[in-house]
Amino acid sequence: MHGSGRVKIVDVAAAAGVSVTTVSHVISGRRPVSAATRARVEDAVRRLGYQADPSARGLRTQRTDTVGLVVPDITNPFNTELAAGVQAIAYARGLLTVVCEAPMTDGPRLPAVLRQLTARRLDGIVLGRFGAQRADLDLIAGSGARLVRLGTRIADGPGDVVRGAETEGMRDLVRYLVRERGYRRIGFIGGEAGVEPGGERYEGYRQALAEAGRTVPEDLTVWTGFTREGGRAGAALLLDATEPPDAVVCANDLIAIGALDVARERGFDVPGRLAVTGYDDIDAASMVSPALTTVVNPAREIGRSAARLLIDRLDGDKGPAREVVLTHQVVRRASA
Amino acid sequence: MHGSGRVKIVDVAAAAGVSVTTVSHVISGRRPVSAATRARVEDAVRRLGYQADPSARGLRTQRTDTVGLVVPDITNPFNTELAAGVQAIAYARGLLTVVCEAPMTDGPRLPAVLRQLTARRLDGIVLGRFGAQRADLDLIAGSGARLVRLGTRIADGPGDVVRGAETEGMRDLVRYLVRERGYRRIGFIGGEAGVEPGGERYEGYRQALAEAGRTVPEDLTVWTGFTREGGRAGAALLLDATEPPDAVVCANDLIAIGALDVARERGFDVPGRLAVTGYDDIDAASMVSPALTTVVNPAREIGRSAARLLIDRLDGDKGPAREVVLTHQVVRRASA
DNA sequence: TCACGCATCCAAATCGTTTTGCATCGCAGG
DNA sequence: CCTGCGATGCAAAACGATTTGGATGCGTGA
């Protein structure tokens, strides 16, 4: 409780009557110290409220004890849950988490953000779902930071991967629409074209239609953005089609919520005249009405797994790249 | 594009044929350097992709170029927007933002989180809305970090303050319910008792009732938590009262959404038989149906202001503590 | 010619840790 | 008595930047 910010290791050493080396050893435990000395040092540390300066420590150890999470949009509840998951595991390990936003709009901000982060010498980076270029990934890997990618394939670049079984998830959802609900004309609203989860999910949609012997209605596919606004725009297009769909499958919940807005405005009864489905099962999915039929994407668990992978690597795991695939589950609510 | 992570200032100096001092000077601009030398150095920096090691720099300068944001719950959309605001301003200034969660549940995690953060020697901390103890604030101030508190009064402790006009906002909202909507028995569901925004908002509710000559129905006040779950629990209590309310004023939108759940389950028509109002105007407020009558709380702008205050202080502003109050605005939707 | 000032640049100290290579001590075994 | 060996503890060398106090060279005015 004395001076809280200024006390250095030499102060502790003086107070305990030992050398700084010994203080360092009792703190790190890297060499044995006699019980009596250890007690004196620990007492001094407590009394003075000593906390090692992270810059000095980092300079010597070449570690920052900090990991980064990069996502396209902090505001998206999926990413928020993700962050909560990463943070929980990292915090327990004494790692600080910085979450950075690299908007997909107005050009590629990703490289700039990544440069900022690598300049910080982070120990590890979790790269959210992006249309990341190979150069971006190599930049991270080359900086010495461990890398965990989310929602991509292991073969696409360096680092470990965590992803939900998105193709399968979407396939199961569309199967359900086709087989158990009997929808005939099923449209698709995607996010930004080329951004990660979009492709997988679209693929699942196509698979389900294909296995049912349907042709994919290309005229009912539209790519916008992973937001409520995007959903509005996409749904407006689809519902104005000469032969509008009786179901709209959206690449995520926010898009679906936007689609619901449009359906309501135009007086389309959901699910009577139009089904709307989402993906992710964010909190809001069960708040809207009709509640959204969607697929749970275990965001928090994905974050946790990613953090665990990172920590394993930081602890010296030299094994080959790993890929963690988390299960999916269709949740059936009122919107379909 | 050469070695991306390993190049040091001496490498740059060697490549440019000057001393490290000169390199440092051209980068920081703290002393004049001839145009020719400057060009050579800048070229070498670019060619080698030099980025100063933050630990080494921090050790010398005693700054980390990092600010922290501490909130009770990352998942709460209000806090998410807040974070986005802080982050945007900080990023533009080259500051990294770390956002930390210190859950209010299961005991006071705040002191532990704060100790972690002060150990990191952050340049500044934005402290979200908490029931922070005076000791917590002094810990931050004593660590040397600049402090901006959110949603409290300037007199309550060290540091600057940013807050919405919450008492006034809630007062206006309840006024509207009383005068223009004619509700008679108006209940209140608060968050955790003692947590910051709760008190202000409750005060506004009381003021509005008082100026209308109503007595505050103490039996219709319940304190739970700032979550949808909290709202469910609180609403259940209120609706089971012997003389249930015809309007429920909630301390934030999540609580209100929980209250809507209960109303729907029990078949209470909203707003016919029961009005429900929120506070904050998070995205979800306009997604639920009926859409929530609420008060906008400019989360993102609060975050921006807080970051600006912090930066001013970091730039050497020594003036007396400042308090920024942002305006409120009632938004009238279908739930009342 | 000398002294002086300005423009440039450099050497070296410094920031607070961690870690390596020795020194010291006590004690057991020969 | 001497040697060797754990068990402990210390001094000093990193780590990679910033910054201060000079050094150097040059031009200018007396």
Side-chain angles (χ1 to χ4, degrees), chain A residues 123-156:
Chain A
D123 294 341
I125 289 182
V126 178
L127 186 60
R129 313 189 295 178
F130 278 101
Q133 304 297 314
R134 184 59 196 251
D136 298 330
L137 304 178
D138 290 337
L139 175 65
I140 299 175
S143 82
R146 322 303 165 127
L147 171 62
V148 173
R149 287 176 287 130
L150 264 30
T152 51
R153 297 289 174 169
I154 192 76
D156 292 347

Side-chain angles (χ1 to χ4, degrees), chain A residues 4-5 51-56 58-59 62 64-66 74-75 80-81 84 87 91 94-101 109 112-113 115-121 142 228 254 257 264 283-284 286-289 300, chain B residues 4-5 51-56 58-59 62 64-66 74-75 80-81 84 87 91 94-101 109 112-113 115-121 142 228 254 257 264 283-284 286-289 300:
Chain A
S4 9
Q51 302 184 114
D53 182 294
S55 293
L59 175 56
Q62 304 289 23
T64 53
D65 293 330
T66 306
I74 289 191
T75 305
T80 304
E81 285 288 327
Q87 224 248 17
Y91 177 86
L95 299 172
L96 216 53
T97 305
V98 322
V99 5
C100 283
E101 194 175 27
R109 286 266 302 274
V113 169
R115 259 191 303 277
Q116 258 233 3
L117 287 187
T118 56
R120 292 301 190 123
R121 307 278 200 273
R228 186 181 184 183
L254 288 178
I257 289 172
R264 190 178 305 121
D283 283 345
S286 65
M287 292 177 179
V288 299
S289 59
R300 192 174 291 247
Chain B
S4 10
Q51 302 184 117
D53 182 295
S55 293
L59 175 57
Q62 305 288 22
T64 53
D65 294 329
T66 306
I74 290 191
T75 305
T80 304
E81 284 287 326
Q87 224 247 16
Y91 177 85
L95 299 172
L96 216 53
T97 304
V98 324
V99 4
C100 284
E101 193 175 27
R109 286 263 303 274
V113 169
R115 259 191 302 278
Q116 259 233 3
L117 287 187
T118 57
R120 291 302 190 118
R121 306 277 199 276
R228 186 180 183 182
L254 288 178
I257 288 171
R264 190 178 307 122
D283 283 345
S286 65
M287 292 177 180
V288 299
S289 60
R300 194 174 289 248

